[in-house]
Amino acid sequence: MFALPQKESKAPTTCPGPASTQDLDSNHGDGLERECSRKPDWKLPEFCGVGDPTATASSDSSHLSSRGSIIKWFWDSAEEGYRTYHMDEYDEDKNPSGIINMGTSENKLCFDLLSRRVSPGAPLEMLPSLVQCPGWRGHCSLREEVARFLSFYCKSPAPLKPENVVVLNGCASLFSALATVLCEVGEAFLIPAPYYGAITQHVYLYGGVQLVCVYLDSEVTGLDTRPFQLTVEKLEMALQRANFEGVKVKGLILINPQNPLGDIYSPGELRDYLEFAKRHKLHVMVDEVYMLSVFEKSAGYHSVLSLEGLPDPQRTHVMWATSKDFGMSGLRFGTLYTENRDVATAVASLCRYHGLSGLVQYQMAQLLRDHDWINQVYLPENHARLKAAHTYVAGELRALGIPFLGRGAGFFIWVDLRKYLPEATFKEEMLLWRRFLDNKVLLSCGKAFQCKEPGWFRLVFSDKAHRLCLGMQRVRQVLEGKSQVPDDPASCQSQESGNQRSGGETPPAVL
């Protein structure tokens, strides 16, 4: 669990040793353990992977409030790799020795398809309604299209209702808004770890809400288990630990498909988790931002909205956005579906700070209603390109004898590099991360996802084949102790045409 202590207090940290990789078929993952002893009062939080916050924030600015200092601390402490990358980005022509980004989970594989489909302009007859103040929930026409879209792609038993839809500028804003309206300062959400680390900021910076980690590990204990498997027993244990420590838990966050593991929860697992939450009167926030990025048909993805009869519909809140599935992270479009009218109204009230322009709302409505293009053009090609890129990276990892988890969903592979750490510590993990960065390839280390076993990394494969090839060459050089930035070899030029379908892209990723 993240510790949010007073400055004079530090929460204990334990780092369990490596788990068994015996039953991992070139696949794995891990988690980091922290405990919390007291509630926050807007003092600087202690987050793993970014150094000692009491030291880094000691030079308080006279111009900032305590909250402002915390917000600045997040930027100063947690963005080193990305700031370095943006100062030295790889460019095939202008900067061929620049940094290749295999750390940001962003889908740029199908920009060619999207650029032809999404028109930059708005029809003149629509301008009056688009440039005036909309309802804070989003334009009615857009919410109707979102409800139809989710009904179809989530395979809901009954049509979803537009009045249960709220539109905001991305899932980050949704997490922040839900944390603010559901919790008091110092209360907490359960979240399976490893998890997408930015959620920590989303729920804390505005709402002052903590995260209680449900730690998962890579050990396989039986025929019916898998690495990093979430169980109700683990949820119960984490909740009991929080209660013992005096932390009030108000909800559970689920990411499905999961980031960084790529795990997909079965309908039975989803129902078990929802029943657990109902027993303890917990809200459940389900982030389904990768739901259309399941490129292996055998993976069998099911949305929580596909379940017949949710155990506690008034406490079940579902999020989706176009940032991942449509490679539109820059447009900032996210949507909440909840049957709880009070929650929807409270979140909608915050839309005055997190709303979308009328022009973007119009474009999104046009896109989401075009099921023919989505089903016949976009999704088949996007899935094919994702699968080709995944196949290439998985093959490279197997050639290196590196275990990994690749579930056929999302844009990333969870890679087990523990054997490359001289000691099983997060210090050694950070040193390996820096060696990658020094060799001009950016990865995301496990500590950023609260992984409790040092040595796990998330590797994003959704990039153009040419950059993907160069990135993997640089990864190989670091692991073989031959760190140096390679030239732009012809082998990677040929890889572009061999691994990428016509017009396809496979770019870097954002956490």
Side-chain angles (χ1 to χ4, degrees):
M1 177 165 55
F2 283 121
L4 303 171
Q6 304 280 352
K7 279 195 176 183
E8 68 272 12
S9 170
K10 288 188 180 181
T13 303
T14 59
C15 300
S20 167
T21 60
Q22 169 180 349
D23 297 312
L24 293 178
D25 176 23
S26 282
N27 315 352
H28 279 65
D30 227 65
L32 166 67
E33 192 151 355
R34 277 197 184 269
E35 299 181 0
C36 174
S37 57
R38 60 179 76 182
K39 294 183 180 180
D41 61 351
W42 290 113
K43 297 294 184 182
L44 195 68
E46 180 177 316
F47 292 90
C48 52
V50 290
D52 180 1
T54 61
T56 55
S58 59
S59 58
D60 292 341
S61 169
S62 61
H63 302 288
L64 296 177
S65 66
S66 59
R67 288 175 293 181
S69 295
I70 292 174
I71 292 169
K72 180 177 181 295
W73 175 84
F74 268 101
W75 174 258
D76 290 342
S77 303
E79 304 291 338
E80 176 191 353
Y82 295 95
R83 287 201 302 271
T84 304
Y85 163 69
H86 286 301
M87 290 187 293
D88 188 20
E89 291 186 38
Y90 170 85
D91 183 275
E92 184 177 351
D93 300 315
K94 299 177 181 178
N95 190 21
S97 62
I99 296 171
I100 300 236
N101 186 349
M102 302 182 80
T104 299
S105 181
E106 194 170 25
N107 182 5
K108 296 175 185 175
L109 284 165
C110 292
F111 181 75
D112 58 314
L113 303 177
L114 290 166
S115 64
R116 292 195 293 266
R117 173 60 187 80
V118 180
S119 167
L124 292 177
E125 65 269 21
M126 293 296 295
L127 282 178
S129 64
L130 297 182
V131 298
Q132 295 164 5
C133 283
W136 294 121
R137 292 171 184 254
H139 281 296
C140 182
S141 59
L142 173 60
R143 288 188 287 112
E144 289 173 351
E145 290 302 335
V146 169
R148 280 192 283 267
F149 178 89
L150 294 178
S151 296
F152 182 81
Y153 289 101
C154 294
K155 297 180 172 59
S156 60
L160 302 178
K161 300 175 181 178
E163 57 265 32
N164 296 337
V165 172
V166 183
V167 175
L168 284 80
N169 60 344
C171 281
S173 297
L174 280 169
F175 272 117
S176 180
L178 283 170
T180 301
V181 305
L182 295 179
C183 297
E184 304 294 344
V185 171
E187 293 179 340
F189 294 133
L190 294 175
I191 188 167
Y195 66 89
Y196 170 50
I199 295 175
T200 303
Q201 299 181 49
H202 301 341
V203 303
Y204 183 79
L205 290 186
Y206 280 173
V209 176
Q210 305 180 57
L211 293 177
V212 175
C213 288
V214 183
Y215 292 107
L216 312 178
D217 59 60
S218 59
E219 185 176 3
V220 176
T221 58
L223 294 177
D224 296 328
T225 63
R226 63 182 185 271
F228 299 101
Q229 184 171 2
L230 177 63
T231 65
V232 172
E233 180 183 11
K234 293 174 184 177
L235 289 169
E236 294 281 5
M237 290 175 61
L239 181 60
Q240 289 174 18
R241 187 180 81 237
N243 290 338
F244 178 77
E245 294 170 351
V247 177
K248 186 173 182 180
V249 175
K250 293 294 289 290
L252 166 65
I253 295 174
L254 297 174
I255 307 172
N256 186 37
Q258 213 270 358
N259 178 7
L261 303 177
D263 247 3
I264 295 174
Y265 300 131
S266 70
E269 288 174 324
L270 283 172
R271 189 168 292 279
D272 287 345
Y273 307 150
L274 294 175
E275 292 286 0
F276 156 82
K278 182 180 180 181
R279 284 196 303 275
H280 297 284
K281 297 182 179 179
L282 303 178
H283 290 270
V284 182
M285 288 142 289
V286 187
D287 178 356
E288 299 191 342
V289 74
Y290 290 99
M291 75 170 183
L292 298 182
S293 299
V294 181
F295 53 89
E296 288 288 357
K297 293 181 179 179
S298 60
Y301 174 78
H302 294 83
S303 166
V304 71
L305 293 174
S306 70
L307 299 182
E308 190 82 50
L310 292 173
D312 192 353
Q314 289 296 303
R315 291 191 178 93
T316 305
H317 319 293
V318 183
M319 292 177 274
W320 180 77
T322 55
S323 56
K324 307 301 182 183
D325 288 337
F326 286 97
M328 293 180 171
S329 55
L331 263 67
R332 312 309 304 147
F333 172 84
T335 185
L336 169 70
Y337 189 86
T338 177
E339 294 186 23
N340 189 311
R341 298 297 174 84
D342 290 339
V343 172
T345 300
V347 170
S349 180
L350 294 174
C351 287
R352 69 183 64 223
Y353 313 115
H354 302 291
L356 296 168
S357 75
L359 297 178
V360 171
Q361 292 193 50
Y362 175 80
Q363 293 292 353
M364 290 299 96
Q366 298 301 307
L367 174 66
L368 298 182
R369 72 164 51 109
D370 194 350
H371 289 195
D372 286 344
W373 178 82
I374 293 171
N375 294 333
Q376 297 171 22
V377 178
Y378 181 76
L379 287 181
E381 187 65 15
N382 187 39
H383 291 168
R385 295 177 187 183
L386 281 171
K387 186 170 183 177
H390 178 275
T391 298
Y392 168 71
V393 172
E396 291 293 301
L397 292 171
R398 290 191 184 98
L400 288 168
I402 296 174
F404 63 90
L405 285 175
R407 305 294 200 190
F411 313 146
F412 33 76
I413 295 178
W414 190 235
V415 181
D416 180 6
L417 300 181
R418 288 178 292 177
K419 67 183 180 181
Y420 295 96
L421 303 186
E423 297 178 0
T425 66
F426 289 105
K427 179 181 179 180
E428 291 294 340
E429 178 184 277
M430 184 59 66
L431 290 174
L432 179 57
W433 176 82
R434 290 186 186 281
R435 286 200 294 275
F436 285 127
L437 191 59
D438 290 342
N439 205 49
K440 301 300 184 73
V441 59
L442 175 64
L443 304 182
S444 297
C445 60
K447 196 171 188 180
F449 303 94
Q450 289 300 293
C451 185
K452 73 181 180 183
E453 300 170 7
W456 291 88
F457 286 75
R458 192 189 69 173
L459 192 157
V460 173
F461 57 80
S462 51
D463 202 346
K464 287 184 177 181
H466 174 65
R467 287 204 297 262
L468 207 56
C469 176
L470 275 177
M472 289 307 298
Q473 286 186 0
R474 295 178 184 184
V475 167
R476 178 188 287 269
Q477 286 181 330
V478 171
L479 298 180
E480 292 179 346
K482 304 173 183 176
S483 299
Q484 60 180 10
V485 179
D487 295 328
D488 214 351
S491 61
C492 288
Q493 301 284 358
S494 62
Q495 188 73 35
E496 183 78 40
S497 57
N499 272 6
Q500 207 77 46
R501 300 179 60 156
S502 173
E505 288 199 6
T506 323
V510 174
L511 237 77

